[in-house]
């Protein structure tokens, strides 16, 4: 009931602690109405100030001046109604009224200038400095474009006063002035204290983060731009008072080629279309929306569904027309009010901007609509000839060389044939041959895409075509590929020739054939091919019209087909060996129907069989003049060595393979063995070499237009290697790139794993807010994340802890409570996780000042601990409750805090002796906390023994206990010197402890102790 002034004041206090938004504003309005009923007008003053604050931070700029007028009338009537702080706020809020009047185009400019004149008079009467008045004149000049330079000088050269905007907000205005005049370097230098977290306020750093995004992009500082988008957007989304900043984030997404992310932001801020109480800020939001939508429609996404004003469905084109009409009218209204084109010009300048990057900036976030912003394709290194005959000859040449650039040419050949079958002429051979070659390429694509059944059908059609054309070598190599495709997928496949590239990441499709059956069939094929070599030598006459089309290249074509069969035989032996029982890797796979794959009955003979085939492949490739094909044998051996833990052998084989590839002049074959060698070197703790190899692999793949290379996995490995190298910035870039590419490929699990690694790197490098943004993206839709329950649970735990570290305590508690419900049904051996999560939830609720709920969850954690002990976590919770209880209730909470610590003692006493539990640390921290609690109650004689007990306990920890021991000594000295006034004893204690710290290499701790010691001596 709000029937007493005291009740209204208490309600005002509670409302002030709520986040800004409609509920807080409505409550503030109700409280003003309640305060009007009392004779004590001082309550009305407080209520009006609270209401004006609510209006200011929710963008209610039409209402704010009216509220201030009531305050000013009360001020002029009886200043005794205002406390000292409230009187200060009267003068402070003259600035709020100026910006509110400027926000509304119906307010004449003369009225705005008149209000600033009135503000000056009030400041002069009260003997306040006039720098804030100059700041408001500059604000108007910037808005109208009239006399801005002079107004800036008048403001910037005046000294700050107690009524000046905070330093963070003034930094924003200085930097904005520089950026709008094209000096990004100076602006970013000015912004540094805010962007680096050295200056902040309720509006900062998020307001500056939004405005610095484009200057950062233009300056090439993309890592910082990514970070400020991730962290800044979370602070402004959905808030009516920050819609201009939301518009700037939308613009950033459009100009960094992240249109899909932009559409997600649009959907999250749909309510802002109706937030019209701050027209100038609303224009800023609409302009950002328009930049994004213009990018979409310009890329032929007119019909894409987008989020617009509630009440109907919208397409990009439809919403663009709607927004453009509204924004044009607003800009025109401001320009008419101002008598200048400044607002319209600024808006047109934004709309004229084009993307600042050639490729999308990887943000590390999962974009549901990522298909709208694909990772930009680099320019192909292979030119496509216009002449069809030349096009076919070039495609065949690249195919013989195994050059990945052939893929683009074969696709173009297929398109040209589909458009005009008559385009094929005598010089390209029978059209049936072209269709067979195109089908062969399609089969390779299907294998890489994991579509085994479809690939088998295409291969069967290809074989039939080659047989009809009397091309036995090609038909035999096709049959060999078809046979190997019926086996279970091994844990990895080596790179093969273009005619036998088995891919690397295919999924099992269809039930596999029996190993022995496939081996015998492939052995018959190999015998048939060898017999063909005798009957029809490689350089013999063509068997038919199809082979005749190759002319002088016929021998190479036959050689490659023959080596493809050899490769398939080696590949089969490799797969059998890799999947045999007792081998490392993913042996013991299951077929698609869930049945176990039967092991080879003669598993002990598999190593010999593999080596025979690898040796034969190597020898035949060398004999026939294709040493780069011989490198395949070394790659097979390297993978087996790597998977068996022989990293030295794996490195030797891979380096040999790369030397052979280099000698053969086939640089396009380097990426895969280079990437595998990088993995091996990482295992040998040589990250620098691994990073160099991975960069080289990516450069080679791009240079030779290798669209089949595993870019996503390579970037992920590069991020991992950069982490080992101590390069977190590089790791963030590469893992963000990996996540974006996995998204484009539709590999949800890979994208999520990349993001989890990214979040870990960000968190460990101190970028906690960035890590929270990434984890939030992962958890936005758990069903599409592609991860198992436990991995997702870990992600939610990390997310909750991140929110807690950012002091977002209530959201953190919500995450912990949701996770507690998830893990409650886990098996008994995992029950300690419930104890951990419940303890985390209880602490977060206490930090959020939700004590009733915190106490309930506290007891839930204690009950969980009784069933599934987790002593470190439960004791940590009890210590935190002791600390927070005293923090919230001071001396009145001492007994309750001591009760929590007594429960912690009982928990520790019940823990049996066990390895891995740092009993000394837990005991020491409980004693330390009890000493601090007793000190709050000024029970220093009891507190000192507790501090000394903490010192003794931490001493048991040896080297690990030195730092907590030093802190316990510091506390004991404070109790002794300040509480008990035994300064000499405290000095002796500190001197001995500082010397000990220096002896153990803890210089910083020693400095802290020395500083306190000097303070005591100075007394």
């Amino acid at each position: 009931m709000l029937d007493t002034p005291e009740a209204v004041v208490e309600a005002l206090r509670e409302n002030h602690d709520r986040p800004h938004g409609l509920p807080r504003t409505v409550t503030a309005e109700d409280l003003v109405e309640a305060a009007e009923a009392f004779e004590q007008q001082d309550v009305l003053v407080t209520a009006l100030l609270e209401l004006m604050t609510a209006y200011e931070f929710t963008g209610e700029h039409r209402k704010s001046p009216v509220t201030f007028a009531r305050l000013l009338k009360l001020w002029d009537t009886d200043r005794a109604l205002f406390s000292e702080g409230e009187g200060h706020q009267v003068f402070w809020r003259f600035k709020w009224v100026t910006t509110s009047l400027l926000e509304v185009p119906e307010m004449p400019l003369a009225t705005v200038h008149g209000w600033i004149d009135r503000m000056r008079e009030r400041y002069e009467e009260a003997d306040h400095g006039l720098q804030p008045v100059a700041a408001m004149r500059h604000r108007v000049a910037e808005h109208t474009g009239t006399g801005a330079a002079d107004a800036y000088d008048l403001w910037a050269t005046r000294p700050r006063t107690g009524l000046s905007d905070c330093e963070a907000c003034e930094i924003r205005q200085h930097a904005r002035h520089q950026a709008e005049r094209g000096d990004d370097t100076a602006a970013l230098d000015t912004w540094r204290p805010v962007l680096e977290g050295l200056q902040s306020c309720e509006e900062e750093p998020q307001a500056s983060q939004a405005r610095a995004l484009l200057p950062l992009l233009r300056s090439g500082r993309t890592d910082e731009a990514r970070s400020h988008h991730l962290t800044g957007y979370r602070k402004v989304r959905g808030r009516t008072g920050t819609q201009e900043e939301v518009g700037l984030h939308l613009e950033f997404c459009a100009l960094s080629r992240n249109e899909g992310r932009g559409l997600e932001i649009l959907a999250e801020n749909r309510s802002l279309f109706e937030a019209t109480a701050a027209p100038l800020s609303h224009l800023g939001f609409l302009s950002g929306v328009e930049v994004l939508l213009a990018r979409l429609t310009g890329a032929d996404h007119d019909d894409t569904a987008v989020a617009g004003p509630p009440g109907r469905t919208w397409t990009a084109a439809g919403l663009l027309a709607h927004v453009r009409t509204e924004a044009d009218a607003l800009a025109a209204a401001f320009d008419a009010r101002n008598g200048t084109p400044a607002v319209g010009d600024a808006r047109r300048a934004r709309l004229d901007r084009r993307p600042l990057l050639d490729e999308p900036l990887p943000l590390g976030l999962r974009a549901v609509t990522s298909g709208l912003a694909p990772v930009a394709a680099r320019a192909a290194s292979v030119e496509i000839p216009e002449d069809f005959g030349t096009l076919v000859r070039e495609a065949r040449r690249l195919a013989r060389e195994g050059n990945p650039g052939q893929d683009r040419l074969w696709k173009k050949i297929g398109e040209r044939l589909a458009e005009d079958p008559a385009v094929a002429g005598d010089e390209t051979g029978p059209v049936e041959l072209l269709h067979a070659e195109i089908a062969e390429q399609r089969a390779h694509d299907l294998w890489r895409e994991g579509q085994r059944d479809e690939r088998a059908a295409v291969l069967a059609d290809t074989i039939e075509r080659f047989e009809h054309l009397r091309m036995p070598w090609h038909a035999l190599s096709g049959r060999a590929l078809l046979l190997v495709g019926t086996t279970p997928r091994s844990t990895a496949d080596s790179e093969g020739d273009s005619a036998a590239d088995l891919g690397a990441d295919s999924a099992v499709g269809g039930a596999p054939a029996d190993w022995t059956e496939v081996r015998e069939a492939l052995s018959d094929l190999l015998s048939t091919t060898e017999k063909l070599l005798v009957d029809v030598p490689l350089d013999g006459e063509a068997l038919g019209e199809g082979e005749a089309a190759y002319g002088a290249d016929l021998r190479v074509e036959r050689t490659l087909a023959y080596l493809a069969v050899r490769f398939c035989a080696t590949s089969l032996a490799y797969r059998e060996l890799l999947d045999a029982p007792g081998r490392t890797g993913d042996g013991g796979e299951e077929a698609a129907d869930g049945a176990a794959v039967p092991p080879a009955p003669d598993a002990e003979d598999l190593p010999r069989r593999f080596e025979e085939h690898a040796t034969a492949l190597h020898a035949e490739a060398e004999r026939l003049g294709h040493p780069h094909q011989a490198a395949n044998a070394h790659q097979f051996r390297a993978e087996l060595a790597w998977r068996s833990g022989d990293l030295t052998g794996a490195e030797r084989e891979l380096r040999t393979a790369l030397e052979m590839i280099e000698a053969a002049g086939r640089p396009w074959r380097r990426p895969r063995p280079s990437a595998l060698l990088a993995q091996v070197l990482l295992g040998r703790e040589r990250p620098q070499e691994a990073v160099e190899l991975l960069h080289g692999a990516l450069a080679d793949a791009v240079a030779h237009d290798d669209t089949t290379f595993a870019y996503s996995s390579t970037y992920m490995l590069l991020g991992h290697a950069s982490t080992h190298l101590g390069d977190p910035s590089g790791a963030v870039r590469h893992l963000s790139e990996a996540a974006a590419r996995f998204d484009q490929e539709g590999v949800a699990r890979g994208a999520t794993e990349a993001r989890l690694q990214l979040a870990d790197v960000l968190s460990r490098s101190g970028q906690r807010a960035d890590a929270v943004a990434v984890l939030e993206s992962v958890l936005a839709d758990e069903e599409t994340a592609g991860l198992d329950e436990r991995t997702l649970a870990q992600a939610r735990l990390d997310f909750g802890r991140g929110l807690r570290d950012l002091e977002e305590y209530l959201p953190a508690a919500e995450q912990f409570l949701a996770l507690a419900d998830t893990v409650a049904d886990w098996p008994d051996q995992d029950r300690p996780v419930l104890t951990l999560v419940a303890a985390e939830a209880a602490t977060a609720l206490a930090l959020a000042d939700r004590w009733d709920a915190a106490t309930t969850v506290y007891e839930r954690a204690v009950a969980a601990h009784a069933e599934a002990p987790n002593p470190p976590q439960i004791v940590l919770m009890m210590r935190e409750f002791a600390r927070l209880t005293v923090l919230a209730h001071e001396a009145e909470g001492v007994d309750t805090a001591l009760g929590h610590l007594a429960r912690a003692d009982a928990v520790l006493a019940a823990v049996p002796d066990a390895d891995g539990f740092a009993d000394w640390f837990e005991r020491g921290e409980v004693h330390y906390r009890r000493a601090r609690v007793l000190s709050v109650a000024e029970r220093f004689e009891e507190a000192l023994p507790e501090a000394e007990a903490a010192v003794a306990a931490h001493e048991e920890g040896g080297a690990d206990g030195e730092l907590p021991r030093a802190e316990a000594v510091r506390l004991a000295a404070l109790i002794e010197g300040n509480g008990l006034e035994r300064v000499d004893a405290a000095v002796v204690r500190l001197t001995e402890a500082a010397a000990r710290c220096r002896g153990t290499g803890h210089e910083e701790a020693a400095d802290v102790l020395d500083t306190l010691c000097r303070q005591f001596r100075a007394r």
Side-chain angles (χ1 to χ4, degrees), residues 731-984:
V732 168
R733 283 194 300 276
H734 301 315
L735 290 169
S736 297
E737 180 75 28
R741 288 179 178 270
F742 277 126
D743 277 340
Q744 294 303 318
E745 296 163 9
V747 184
R749 184 181 181 88
T752 303
E753 288 177 347
R755 290 191 173 95
L756 292 178
Q757 284 193 33
L758 173 60
D760 182 60
V761 171
L762 289 167
S763 181
R764 286 190 286 110
S765 62
Q767 297 173 264
R768 291 174 296 181
D770 300 60
V772 164
V774 172
L775 288 170
E776 184 177 51
S777 172
V778 170
L779 295 168
D781 186 354
E782 296 181 18
E783 293 182 2
T784 64
L787 292 181
D788 60 88
E789 184 181 52
R790 279 167 171 72
T791 305
L792 282 171
Q794 182 63 55
R796 188 172 293 282
L797 178 63
D798 293 340
F799 182 44
R801 286 172 169 171
L803 290 170
R804 179 197 60 204
D805 292 343
L806 295 179
E807 299 183 4
E808 297 181 35
Y809 300 126
L810 194 56
E814 291 169 355
Q815 293 297 322
F816 292 135
L817 291 171
L819 182 55
D821 291 338
T822 298
V823 304
D825 296 328
W826 282 11
D828 290 345
Q829 65 268 25
D830 296 324
R831 296 288 290 177
V833 177
L834 176 59
T835 306
L836 179 150
V837 174
E840 294 271 20
T843 303
L845 287 166
L847 286 164
D849 204 27
R850 301 295 180 89
W851 283 99
D852 289 343
T855 301
T856 300
V857 180
Y858 177 103
E859 295 301 336
R860 180 183 180 186
V862 171
H865 172 73
E867 295 183 10
N870 192 332
Q873 195 66 43
I874 211 73
V875 170
L876 173 61
M877 177 192 73
M878 291 169 172
R879 292 202 314 268
E880 275 294 277
F881 264 69
R883 180 182 72 85
L884 294 171
T885 298
V886 170
L887 193 65
H889 306 291
E890 297 181 343
E892 290 80 2
V894 166
D895 289 342
T896 302
L898 291 174
H900 290 302
L901 295 172
R903 297 184 76 172
D905 286 335
V907 169
L908 292 175
V911 177
D913 293 335
D915 293 336
F917 179 68
D919 175 74
W920 60 270
F921 176 80
E922 302 297 341
R923 285 187 288 104
E925 290 301 289
V926 171
H927 284 302
Y928 174 85
R929 182 54 54 195
R930 187 176 286 112
R932 297 203 63 161
V933 170
L934 290 166
S935 295
V936 170
E938 299 185 358
R939 293 159 59 178
F940 301 118
E941 291 289 358
E942 298 172 71
L944 183 59
E946 288 294 330
E948 290 174 332
V951 173
H954 286 309
E955 194 157 354
E956 296 176 26
D960 292 338
E962 286 299 328
L963 284 178
R965 179 189 184 280
E967 170 56 22
V969 169
R970 189 188 72 85
L971 176 61
L974 285 169
I975 295 169
E976 201 165 34
N978 292 337
L980 299 173
E981 298 185 358
R982 302 172 190 168
V983 176
D984 291 342

Side-chain angles (χ1 to χ4, degrees), residues 117-137:
D117 291 340
R118 189 177 178 187
M119 174 182 174
R120 179 188 179 100
E121 293 169 1
R122 293 278 186 161
Y123 272 48
E124 286 178 333
E125 288 175 4
D127 199 25
H128 291 308
L130 297 181
Q131 192 258 17
V133 178
M136 293 301 100
R137 294 202 188 280

Side-chain angles (χ1 to χ4, degrees), residues 242-576:
T242 58
Q243 54 181 317
E244 183 178 0
E245 285 77 12
V246 173
L248 291 169
H249 282 280
L250 287 168
E251 181 179 21
F252 164 78
C253 290
L255 301 186
S256 65
R257 298 185 183 272
N258 280 285
E259 292 88 349
R261 166 69 170 164
L263 289 186
E264 291 187 348
I265 290 177
L266 198 59
E268 290 178 332
N269 293 275
R270 194 173 190 179
S271 62
L272 297 186
F273 284 103
E274 298 178 312
T276 58
L280 188 60
S281 296
H282 191 57
L283 176 61
F285 167 69
L286 294 176
S287 296
V289 174
E290 190 172 351
V291 172
L292 173 67
L293 296 175
R295 280 281 302 146
L296 289 174
T297 57
D300 298 326
H301 290 298
D302 300 57
D303 297 328
T304 298
V306 298
R312 57 165 284 191
T313 57
W314 296 90
T315 64
L319 182 59
L320 176 59
H322 174 83
V323 167
R324 183 167 287 162
T325 299
E326 184 179 355
D328 280 344
L330 270 176
F334 279 109
D335 286 345
R337 188 272 302 273
N338 299 335
T340 69
V343 173
D345 286 348
R347 177 169 172 271
R348 284 184 286 274
R350 288 182 71 179
L351 299 179
D352 286 342
R353 289 172 182 154
R354 294 295 175 264
L356 298 170
L357 304 175
D358 293 332
E359 299 179 1
L361 173 65
L363 300 176
L365 303 178
R366 186 179 63 85
V368 175
T369 50
S370 59
L372 293 173
V375 176
R378 296 173 173 86
S381 61
V382 177
E383 293 186 6
I384 300 178
E386 286 296 326
D387 177 69
F388 188 75
T390 304
L391 174 63
V392 172
R393 285 194 298 273
E394 182 65 7
R396 287 171 177 167
R397 182 185 70 80
L398 294 178
R400 285 191 291 273
E401 294 179 351
N403 191 316
Q406 65 175 300
D407 293 348
R408 197 178 300 276
L409 301 190
W410 284 117
K411 285 183 173 62
K412 178 58 69 174
I413 291 170
E415 292 171 4
R416 297 277 296 277
L417 276 176
E419 293 171 0
D420 180 12
V423 72
D426 294 339
E427 60 178 324
T428 61
V431 71
E432 291 85 356
L433 173 59
L434 290 174
H435 285 301
E437 291 169 311
I438 293 169
E440 187 176 39
Q441 294 301 316
R442 176 63 180 148
H444 299 325
D445 292 341
L446 289 168
W447 177 271
R448 286 188 289 263
E449 294 167 6
Q451 300 183 47
R452 279 193 164 190
D453 294 340
E454 294 85 346
R455 183 250 196 178
V458 173
L459 262 181
D461 176 64
T462 304
I463 294 165
E464 185 177 343
R465 290 177 184 272
F466 281 133
E467 288 177 338
H468 179 72
L469 289 162
R470 295 175 61 211
M471 299 175 67
W473 272 285
H474 290 76
L476 287 167
S477 68
R479 290 189 181 281
L481 286 170
L482 189 58
L483 277 170
V484 173
T486 64
T487 63
R489 180 180 70 87
S490 68
T491 52
D493 292 307
S494 294
E495 178 194 16
D497 180 65
S498 61
D501 186 358
L502 299 180
D505 297 301
S506 306
V508 175
D514 180 79
W515 283 108
T516 303
E517 181 182 337
V518 176
R519 187 192 323 127
E520 290 174 352
L522 192 54
S523 179
D524 291 342
L525 274 180
L526 189 56
S527 298
T528 302
T529 310
E530 290 171 336
K531 183 176 184 300
L532 187 62
L533 285 175
V534 176
D535 295 343
V536 184
L538 289 171
D539 53 359
E541 296 181 358
L543 291 176
E545 185 182 5
E547 286 195 334
Y550 294 128
D553 298 315
L554 176 60
R555 177 184 173 85
V556 177
E557 288 286 335
R558 290 176 170 178
T559 299
L560 292 176
Y562 164 63
L563 289 176
V565 179
R566 281 277 176 201
F567 177 90
C568 287
T570 308
S571 174
L572 181 68
Y574 161 80
R575 288 161 178 263
E576 282 194 275

Side-chain angles (χ1 to χ4, degrees), residues 598-609:
D602 51 349
E604 69 283 352
D605 198 38
L606 293 177
R608 178 193 59 76
R609 184 182 299 122

Side-chain angles (χ1 to χ4, degrees), residues 21-41:
L22 184 60
R24 175 172 172 173
T25 302
V26 170
T27 301
E29 291 173 336
D30 292 341
L31 292 174
V32 167
E33 185 177 344
E36 289 172 335
F38 306 126
E39 292 184 8
Q40 297 173 248
Q41 295 288 281

